[in-house]
Amino acid sequence: MIQSIINHFIISLTKLLPLSFVRMIAGRYVAGEKQPDALQIVEELNNKGYSVTIDILGEHSKTSATAQAVTEQYINLYKFIQVKNLDCNISIKPTHLGLDMGMKCAQDNILSLLNAAEETNNFLRIDMENSAVTDDTIALYHKCRENYSNVGTVLQAYLYRSENDLKILSQDSNFNFRLCKGIYRENADIAIQDRHKINANFITLLRLAFENNIYIAIATHDLYLLETAYELIATLNIPSDQFEFQVLYGVPMSGWLQKHLQNGYKVRVYVPFGNDWYDYSLRRLKENPNIARYVLKNMIRR
Ligand code: FDA
């Protein structure tokens, strides 16, 4: 009870937290500000047996020139990944690549990025942002699929629409998606609010993907969902090349990552980097206010 009051207090105060404190949180969840820092971490994760998806932090680019510069940075990243022979693909946010300037801007950038992905034998994941851009994101994904196969997107278990989206998208047997709960604050008329019901929908979508032989990236740290995924994999006899587990860099998983690897399951770590670490760290803090306690404890110990 006291713990939940403290957590509520931390969430409501996040914007007032000192920069140095947020920077300490970023130290745990963000792989540095510069590309070489991030690639170093990718290499270390690869050496431990994990695949990676890398993301340059940022969203809602305000001009076409900014969105194009971000695209160039990503294209460059694909080249480095190839040269360094890393097991690492890329995740992008459509608004970072220009969606706020219109579909054409985002589409041009994403298609040139996909071209670079194809040339370097790599893959692009289009992250899902808030519900204002769900339709556009799915439309962008469809556009990409007209000419490319090395692309996938994300569905969020908290949206009522996701089951129908999955049914439509699964008509393409090459559909490849990441399933997550969803991070944005959405209205009750479009999004499930109850945590147990979000979990129930996550399992419905997971089962649907498994039963339709659709490749799924199971992106959760929720141990109940992981247990359930293991049960479904066993009862439905799902081959290990039909799914992977995904986690965010820095989130403690109490032995589950090793367990996945021992079972021969692929684990991909989502590694964000870049200057825009402040908002990302606050999002992580809101997800788990206990982080504030860990950081404080470490500060006191020092
Ligand atoms: P939940 O939030 O219930 O967390 C389960 C447990 O995990 C918690 O009790 C806590 O112990 C631990 N935990 C969770 N977050 C933690 C943290 N930050 N630090 C420490 N412990 C933590 N969302 C979206 O809308 N669009 C997207 O494209 C993506 N992409 C994406 C990729 C990947 C690889 C992951 C793992 C997640 C996303 N998400 C996302 C975020 C996702 O929607 C969701 O908000 C978070 O993963 C948290 O949900 P969980 O399923 O982990 O459950």
Side-chain angles (χ1 to χ4, degrees):
M1 177 68 177
I2 291 176
Q3 189 55 54
S4 79
I5 294 170
I6 295 173
N7 286 352
H8 186 76
F9 183 67
I10 292 170
I11 289 174
S12 53
L13 285 183
T14 46
K15 282 283 174 196
L16 302 176
L17 289 172
L19 196 66
S20 55
F21 188 80
V22 181
R23 195 180 273 281
M24 287 176 90
I25 294 169
R28 175 174 188 147
Y29 292 106
V30 176
E33 292 195 26
K34 302 273 177 278
Q35 185 170 297
D37 306 333
L39 290 179
Q40 174 67 34
I41 286 174
V42 173
E43 200 168 346
E44 286 166 18
L45 288 165
N46 281 177
N47 289 340
K48 290 181 186 159
Y50 305 120
S51 305
V52 173
T53 186
I54 201 165
D55 161 68
I56 302 173
L57 287 170
E59 50 201 7
H60 297 288
S61 293
K62 289 194 168 49
T63 65
S64 306
T66 311
Q68 211 177 337
V70 173
T71 308
E72 290 301 324
Q73 236 185 310
Y74 273 121
I75 289 173
N76 193 28
L77 201 46
Y78 272 131
K79 291 180 188 154
F80 270 94
I81 290 169
Q82 187 181 42
V83 168
K84 288 181 157 265
N85 200 20
L86 297 172
D87 176 0
C88 176
N89 65 36
I90 283 177
S91 291
I92 56 106
K93 297 207 164 29
T95 67
H96 202 198
L97 268 69
L99 188 56
D100 291 352
M101 270 69 67
M103 279 295 269
K104 177 154 178 12
C105 180
Q107 189 177 301
D108 290 350
N109 288 332
I110 292 178
L111 289 178
S112 62
L113 195 50
L114 259 177
N115 197 44
E118 193 176 68
E119 279 175 8
T120 55
N121 216 358
N122 210 320
F123 178 87
L124 178 71
R125 173 83 56 200
I126 306 174
D127 283 359
M128 190 58 80
E129 299 175 79
N130 68 352
S131 60
V133 294
T134 309
D135 280 332
D136 285 349
T137 304
I138 291 177
L140 282 168
Y141 167 77
H142 280 300
K143 188 74 198 161
C144 292
R145 281 290 292 134
E146 284 175 11
N147 292 306
Y148 297 93
S149 56
N150 54 338
V151 59
T153 188
V154 178
L155 293 176
Q156 297 152 321
Y158 65 9
L159 289 188
Y160 289 112
R161 61 174 287 168
S162 290
E163 184 170 349
N164 195 40
D165 286 335
L166 177 55
K167 284 180 179 159
I168 294 168
L169 288 158
S170 300
Q171 287 165 10
D172 169 4
S173 61
N174 277 328
F175 182 50
N176 173 327
F177 79 113
R178 172 195 300 146
L179 177 61
C180 64
K181 289 187 185 178
I183 185 83
Y184 303 89
R185 199 173 290 272
E186 300 287 1
N187 286 334
D189 52 339
I190 59 162
I192 309 167
Q193 308 290 321
D194 179 90
R195 293 177 71 80
H196 299 291
K197 290 184 182 156
I198 295 173
N199 276 4
N201 200 37
F202 192 108
I203 295 163
T204 301
L205 298 170
L206 178 62
R207 180 182 271 277
L208 207 61
F210 278 162
E211 287 174 347
N212 288 287
N213 303 320
I214 295 298
Y215 191 92
I216 179 170
I218 307 162
T220 181
H221 317 101
D222 187 324
L223 304 189
Y224 166 73
L225 290 179
L226 291 175
E227 297 277 6
T228 311
Y230 265 56
E231 279 166 28
L232 282 177
I233 290 162
T235 50
L236 300 174
N237 208 7
I238 305 297
S240 58
D241 61 359
Q242 206 197 307
F243 62 88
E244 63 188 54
F245 289 99
Q246 292 193 350
V247 290
L248 299 174
Y249 177 65
V251 176
M253 290 297 292
S254 49
W256 271 87
L257 300 189
Q258 289 75 9
K259 183 171 169 179
H260 293 329
L261 292 183
Q262 279 157 13
N263 279 299
Y265 300 158
K266 182 178 274 197
V267 178
R268 191 177 298 279
V269 183
Y270 187 108
V271 172
F273 79 97
N275 300 327
D276 214 345
W277 48 268
Y278 182 81
D279 284 341
Y280 183 81
S281 303
L282 287 192
R283 276 222 297 270
R284 301 278 81 87
L285 180 60
K286 283 181 184 167
E287 263 173 358
N288 187 353
N290 290 332
I291 298 164
R293 279 195 307 127
Y294 306 142
V295 172
L296 277 173
K297 251 194 216 160
N298 283 340
M299 279 165 77
I300 292 163
R301 269 203 208 114
R302 269 188 233 155

